[in-house]
Amino acid sequence: MTHDVDVLIPTRNRSVELATTLAGLAAQVGGPSFRVVVSDQSGPDDGSGPASFDTPSAAAMVRVLRQRGVPVELLRHLPRRGIAEQRAFLLSCAQADAVLFLDDDVWLEPGVLARLHTALRTLRCGLVAAAMQGLSHVDDHRPAERAHYAEWSDGVRPERIEKGSAAWERWRLGNAANGVHLAESLGLDARGGPFPAASTWRAYRIAWAAGCVLFDREALVEAGGFDFWREVPENAHGEDVLVQQRVMARRGGAGILPSGAYHQESETTLPDRGASAVDLRSL
């Protein structure tokens, strides 16, 4: 059976966060059909430790998803060879025309998947993103960072973004709760009312976005996916940034407001970070 979207979740040693992330997916009703693939790298490389999905809370959310007709695949993928390889493995498991790379510590409000899928089909670009928001910063207004906001008003076009350029500074739009504040200023705030509909959104220019990115799978594969994992150190970071920028250089991409993707703000499970993949590989 084919589905509209494959949701791909890499995880390691995050049982509570993963259960919360799965709960957000269980609330994505009335949108595109989707399948969930979780790739777990918890514990030692011999797989002797428990997986992040081996908890009552995660198991309950898996049952809810399956009860609602959402296929869920729970995979152990060891030994660890770095987050880029983990993402490459997940992409190799994908079958749908669109793939959502969702971090294991992001909760989605109802309607996010529908909004992203609608935007991807409408804009006909390589990717759309709901940059994750940190609500501990909801009172931390950063107008100087939000000044980098610019909408795609005449269609999304391919865009090559070089490090150090003016366009590169758009990364600041994903900081703190900037997306929440931008949505409020545009009249897209959902507080006190229903969640914004799939048809109510704005597309804006990004350098990259973290946590929740929906790709046209063909565009992602065409750009090489995460196959560069063999060419970077295992502790390299920024693999998601490099891939997004490669896709945008060929097919274009956009951030979507409102985001509706919320960071759980847990400590990273990848504290040992080497060089950025952006510095090691070219577009």
Side-chain angles (χ1 to χ4, degrees):
M1 182 177 179
T2 59
H3 297 85
D4 297 319
V5 178
D6 280 328
V7 180
L8 309 177
I9 307 174
T11 190
R12 180 190 177 201
N13 299 335
R14 272 186 167 165
S15 56
V16 173
E17 292 87 347
L18 178 62
T20 304
T21 297
L22 292 173
L25 288 172
Q28 302 302 307
V29 296
S33 62
F34 65 98
R35 176 178 68 125
V36 178
V37 183
V38 179
S39 178
D40 186 278
Q41 294 188 325
S42 300
D45 278 350
D46 64 5
S48 60
S52 292
F53 48 72
D54 288 334
T55 65
S57 297
M61 291 301 99
V62 170
R63 287 192 291 268
V64 169
L65 284 160
R66 289 173 173 165
Q67 177 67 20
R68 295 184 174 182
V70 177
V72 181
E73 294 187 28
L74 304 173
L75 308 174
R76 296 301 299 270
H77 180 58
L78 295 166
R80 290 184 293 273
R81 299 184 180 91
I83 184 60
E85 190 276 340
Q86 169 82 311
R87 293 187 188 274
F89 169 73
L90 278 164
L91 182 57
S92 74
C93 298
Q95 303 167 359
D97 290 338
V99 294
L100 177 68
F101 271 96
L102 181 65
D103 284 0
D104 62 354
D105 59 347
V106 176
W107 179 81
L108 302 182
E109 71 181 20
V112 172
L113 188 57
R115 189 157 59 242
L116 287 175
H117 192 247
T118 296
L120 187 66
R121 290 186 301 171
T122 301
L123 298 171
R124 298 183 180 276
C125 57
L127 68 87
V128 293
M132 61 186 184
Q133 303 298 295
L135 288 184
S136 67
H137 297 277
V138 72
D139 295 323
D140 176 12
H141 289 266
R142 303 183 181 188
E145 294 186 347
R146 298 200 304 272
H148 296 284
Y149 178 77
E151 293 187 3
W152 284 111
S153 57
D154 54 353
V156 176
R157 298 181 300 278
E159 189 176 24
R160 188 181 182 91
I161 300 173
E162 301 287 352
K163 192 170 185 179
S165 67
W168 184 267
E169 292 303 304
R170 298 176 197 155
W171 70 268
R172 300 179 189 279
L173 294 169
N175 277 350
N178 284 337
V180 172
H181 300 141
L182 282 166
E184 291 173 352
S185 69
L186 295 168
L188 299 171
D189 181 19
R191 290 182 300 177
F195 291 105
S199 59
T200 307
W201 48 271
R202 304 280 186 92
Y204 66 98
R205 299 171 184 250
I206 57 173
W208 72 84
C212 180
V213 183
L214 181 67
F215 293 90
D216 177 296
R217 183 163 67 96
E218 179 182 87
L220 179 53
V221 172
E222 176 188 277
F226 295 89
D227 288 348
F228 60 85
W229 70 266
R230 298 177 181 85
E231 303 164 12
V232 298
E234 289 187 8
N235 63 348
H237 65 282
E239 77 296 332
D240 52 341
V241 176
L242 177 60
V243 164
Q244 289 176 51
Q245 293 185 333
R246 284 181 167 180
V247 171
M248 290 191 292
R250 292 161 175 81
R251 299 278 195 98
I256 302 300
L257 290 176
S259 165
Y262 298 100
H263 192 206
Q264 297 176 45
E265 302 187 57
S266 300
E267 291 186 12
T268 181
T269 57
L270 299 170
D272 178 19
R273 294 173 177 243
S276 168
V278 176
D279 297 326
L280 298 172
R281 306 303 305 157
S282 66
L283 296 183

